[in-house]
Amino acid sequence: RTMNNLVLDISDPANVTVQADNLFEFYSGFDQMALQDHYLFLAGDYNRGLTIFDISQPVEPQLVSFVEGDILARSNLVDGDQLYIGRGGYGGVINFDISDIENPTERFWNQTGYHSGYGAGQLALVDEELFIAHGGHGLRILNVSQLPPEEVVEFNDVGRVSDITIDNQLAYVRETYPPRMRILDISNPAAPILVGHFDPFNGDYLWFAQAFGYAITDTIGYFKSVSELKLFDLSDFGNPILMTTFDDL
């Protein structure tokens, strides 16, 4: 099954325009994307590998390199000359050194044993600490300044974790089961402290399960479902306030 892809010009946010359509031949499971400078990183499911494009000319991308392999990507994160890929299935994280963009090299593969629902979800990096929303393993934190990476902590006092975003030394962790948000103080990564939790959708678990993406900026939470975007005031962790809802997105 092919998947559509667009290049959008957002220089005028009030008048977004389509610059190109279907530049890449996407397939189901080949949709994990990350951008840095003028490079686009695509990590695939199963045997689709890692592909890097130069998008200096957005409507005429140029293939830079391809790494073959069973990457089984669930998330991408680029930081300087390092690319981190969260894996499904066997879980864990693959790290590529991309200082030579034409010849990426595997730096480490931190792997966990296979277990349904234990694959790695979203990643976040703060200084030298890599935070992994690691399914049934909870929240894992690795120090990636050395090889092999050092396990800082595996925080299990959460449910099945799929997403994480970090803002001002607070980690906002999304649990898919049970469905809720958890807020952790990570000022000491070796000892995260649970400081709050909430259900931003008042028991509407179907909405929460379909919240495909979210972001936190200061005390504002943005939650996106199939057709809606909800904004919450999160200044009081235990009492999130719905600010507005955008429908028909």
Side-chain angles (χ1 to χ4, degrees):
R1 182 171 66 89
T2 59
M3 301 178 68
N4 193 24
N5 53 95
L6 302 173
V7 177
L8 303 177
D9 183 343
I10 57 172
S11 55
D12 179 3
N15 185 32
V16 177
T17 59
V18 177
Q19 296 296 299
D21 189 359
N22 277 329
L23 284 178
F24 311 104
E25 188 179 45
F26 276 84
Y27 291 90
S28 178
F30 193 21
D31 57 352
Q32 297 302 317
M33 307 172 65
L35 286 169
Q36 179 170 268
D37 300 326
H38 54 90
Y39 293 108
L40 173 67
F41 301 83
L42 300 177
D45 203 345
Y46 296 102
N47 62 351
R48 300 198 187 281
L50 168 67
T51 308
I52 304 175
F53 288 95
D54 184 334
I55 55 171
S56 301
Q57 300 296 323
V59 298
E60 296 181 359
Q62 302 297 313
L63 178 64
V64 175
S65 55
F66 172 73
V67 179
E68 187 175 2
D70 186 9
I71 290 178
L72 202 63
R74 291 293 178 268
S75 58
N76 287 354
L77 186 154
V78 186
D79 182 70
D81 59 5
Q82 302 298 314
L83 169 66
Y84 302 91
I85 300 175
R87 298 187 76 247
Y90 286 91
V93 175
I94 301 177
N95 170 218
F96 287 96
D97 184 329
I98 54 173
S99 54
D100 180 356
I101 199 70
E102 296 182 0
N103 296 285
T105 57
E106 185 177 313
R107 185 166 173 260
F108 69 77
W109 178 5
N110 179 267
Q111 184 176 355
T112 58
Y114 180 83
H115 191 292
S116 177
Y118 277 30
Q122 290 300 312
L123 309 174
L125 187 68
V126 178
D127 298 325
E128 297 174 341
E129 313 294 339
L130 182 66
F131 294 76
I132 309 168
H134 211 158
H137 285 289
L139 175 64
R140 295 179 64 225
I141 304 175
L142 300 179
N143 184 300
V144 295
S145 63
Q146 56 190 359
L147 292 179
E150 178 186 358
E151 182 97 32
V152 177
V153 70
E154 182 174 313
F155 188 78
N156 293 311
D157 190 22
V158 287
R160 182 172 295 177
V161 176
S162 62
D163 299 281
I164 181 173
T165 189
I166 294 176
D167 185 66
N168 292 329
Q169 295 192 326
L170 292 175
Y172 295 83
V173 178
R174 176 187 170 206
E175 299 177 351
T176 53
Y177 185 81
R180 61 187 170 186
M181 297 294 299
R182 295 272 201 143
I183 304 100
L184 304 174
D185 180 338
I186 55 167
S187 53
N188 178 7
I193 300 172
L194 181 64
V195 295
H197 61 85
F198 63 93
D199 172 8
F201 309 113
N202 297 319
D204 186 352
Y205 290 162
L206 179 60
W207 202 105
F208 192 75
Q210 293 177 344
F212 293 145
Y214 72 97
I216 311 292
T217 303
D218 294 326
T219 58
I220 307 300
Y222 305 80
F223 296 85
K224 173 69 174 69
S225 73
V226 175
S227 60
E228 291 182 320
L229 174 65
K230 293 189 176 186
L231 275 63
F232 287 85
D233 180 346
L234 303 178
S235 54
D236 181 352
F237 300 143
N239 184 34
I241 299 173
L242 178 63
M243 301 170 61
T244 187
T245 299
F246 296 95
D247 299 313
D248 301 324
L249 298 179

